[in-house]
Amino acid sequence: MLFNLFNTVRTSSLAVCMTVTAALAASPAVAETSWKPSGPVNVVMHTKPGGTADIFIRTLAQSLEPLIGQTIVVVNAPGAGGATQMARVAHAKPDGLTLGINTMSHFTSMLTNLKGTFSTEDFSWVASTQEDPIIYFARADSDIKTIGDLVAKAKTNSGTINIGGFGPVGSMQHLGTSMLEKAAGVKFNWVGFDSTPDIMTALLGGHVDIGVSNLGPTAPFFESKRIIGLGVLGEKRLDGLPDLPTFGEQGFEVDTSWVQVRGLFGPKDMPLELQQQIADAFHEAMKAKTYQDYARSTGVVDSWMGPKEYTAFVRAVSDTAVKQLQSAGLLQ
């Protein structure tokens, strides 16, 4: 492995997750929280409704709203590679009433297409919440059934196999695809979308050959047998898709620490005490059985970093993103 930043985080996250899960039965239905927002909390998304991050916050809102005594208003603001969302968050008051959900693509975009527009220093990094491996899939009637099939077809049709995923060239999912290209010695054509529903529409409509996403929003398509899985870019198989092998099991060695990360961020200069209160409230809501059932069924790993830890993580992961982008030939 070239970059193992996430391995350490994942180990600690799993340990905490086991402790939290064991304590769920003893936890009250609604616990006390010191975060008492003065009005509805707007959570701005960088995707359209139905994406993985969108499903995450809408599920968590069920247990978060009773804790804080306010409504969570999900504001979908896709477009411009995340810039639309980040602008709304950056220009909001640092009072905790406007927050955003970030993914790995936020960090890669601030190094590529949004470089000079936004940087990590423009925001408060409040808490981590999830890690989520990406999966590759095809239509059920596709002649591509495995990663090996995909690579073989790419070798005879270089640059013509269309892979659709979230974000532009340089996004988290694109870099995962770039890793496969490098490991297999092939070339794909990347097609970026603003949400998983858009990816699924393009895939099922025959506009792309392969889709890339996470298990959460694609699970119904697997259940209805409209798509088949090709592989997991991760260290191990997903509980929700136990028959889907990893890239490594299929003979393609990539950096399995390159997983999707979801966290919570806000405007610059949010008071640290407020950030900690918000982080505590989100993490408390994640202990609810409704949330835990969703998280386990979709294969995500809980992550529990507060503002100090998450800010340090963001700086470190940005350094890792630089290395991945350089490896992909997208940064000099």
Side-chain angles (χ1 to χ4, degrees):
M1 305 287 174
L2 291 177
F3 315 117
N4 294 301
L5 170 64
F6 295 117
N7 293 335
T8 300
V9 176
R10 183 181 297 111
T11 300
S12 60
S13 295
L14 285 169
V16 175
C17 180
M18 293 173 64
T19 302
V20 169
T21 303
L24 285 176
S27 299
V30 179
E32 288 294 322
T33 175
S34 56
W35 183 36
K36 300 296 183 184
S38 59
V41 178
N42 293 304
V43 180
V44 188
M45 306 302 301
H46 59 295
T47 66
K48 296 179 181 179
T52 311
D54 184 76
I55 292 172
F56 153 70
I57 189 57
R58 293 182 190 274
T59 303
L60 187 64
Q62 299 175 35
S63 53
L64 181 58
E65 289 178 339
L67 282 176
I68 65 176
Q70 292 289 352
T71 301
I72 300 296
V73 180
V74 180
V75 180
N76 294 97
T84 304
Q85 176 219 31
M86 285 190 272
R88 294 189 65 157
V89 174
H91 295 143
K93 294 180 179 179
D95 56 7
L97 296 183
T98 301
L99 303 167
I101 301 300
N102 75 271
T103 65
M104 278 289 292
S105 290
H106 284 69
F107 308 129
T108 58
S109 66
M110 285 187 279
L111 294 167
T112 53
N113 59 300
L114 296 183
K115 186 175 182 179
T117 303
F118 294 109
S119 73
T120 58
E121 302 303 317
D122 294 326
F123 303 98
S124 299
W125 301 99
V126 179
S128 65
T129 58
Q130 290 184 338
E131 295 176 29
D132 195 2
I134 56 175
I135 56 176
Y136 288 65
F137 46 88
R139 292 185 303 278
D141 61 355
S142 174
D143 59 348
I144 301 173
K145 307 294 185 184
T146 66
I147 294 296
D149 291 344
L150 173 60
V151 168
K153 191 165 186 177
K155 286 185 175 179
T156 58
N157 299 273
S158 182
T160 64
I161 306 299
N162 295 318
I163 296 187
F166 180 81
V169 169
S171 67
M172 183 271 173
Q173 293 180 6
H174 170 259
L175 287 180
T177 302
S178 178
M179 292 179 202
L180 177 59
E181 288 178 325
K182 189 171 183 179
V186 296
K187 185 67 178 176
F188 302 114
N189 181 48
W190 178 256
V191 183
F193 294 93
D194 285 335
S195 71
T196 298
D198 288 347
I199 297 168
M200 301 310 299
T201 298
L203 178 72
L204 296 175
H207 304 296
V208 297
D209 303 292
I210 304 298
V212 185
S213 186
N214 306 98
L215 177 57
T218 60
F221 296 91
F222 281 106
E223 292 168 2
S224 62
K225 301 187 186 305
R226 300 180 71 187
I227 62 174
I228 55 173
L230 306 183
V232 180
L233 200 167
E235 289 184 347
K236 62 180 183 178
R237 299 188 183 194
L238 302 179
D239 291 342
L241 284 177
D243 296 329
L244 182 61
T246 66
F247 280 27
E249 288 179 293
Q250 299 181 67
F252 299 96
E253 295 300 325
V254 297
D255 178 13
T256 57
S257 70
W258 192 247
V259 299
Q260 185 60 279
V261 174
R262 295 186 191 94
L264 185 68
F265 73 110
K268 186 178 180 180
D269 296 328
M270 287 179 63
L272 183 59
E273 181 181 5
L274 175 60
Q275 291 187 55
Q276 187 63 59
Q277 290 174 351
I278 294 172
D280 290 344
F282 268 73
H283 289 158
E284 185 65 36
M286 286 167 57
K287 299 176 186 177
K289 187 176 185 303
T290 53
Y291 178 84
Q292 287 291 315
D293 287 346
Y294 140 78
R296 300 295 78 77
S297 67
T298 55
V300 301
V301 175
D302 299 328
S303 187
W304 306 92
M305 287 180 281
K308 291 182 179 179
E309 298 87 354
Y310 193 45
T311 298
F313 175 87
V314 166
R315 290 169 180 161
V317 79
S318 295
D319 291 340
T320 298
V322 168
K323 297 175 183 177
Q324 295 286 17
L325 288 163
Q326 289 174 336
S327 179
L330 298 173
L331 281 182
Q332 299 301 318

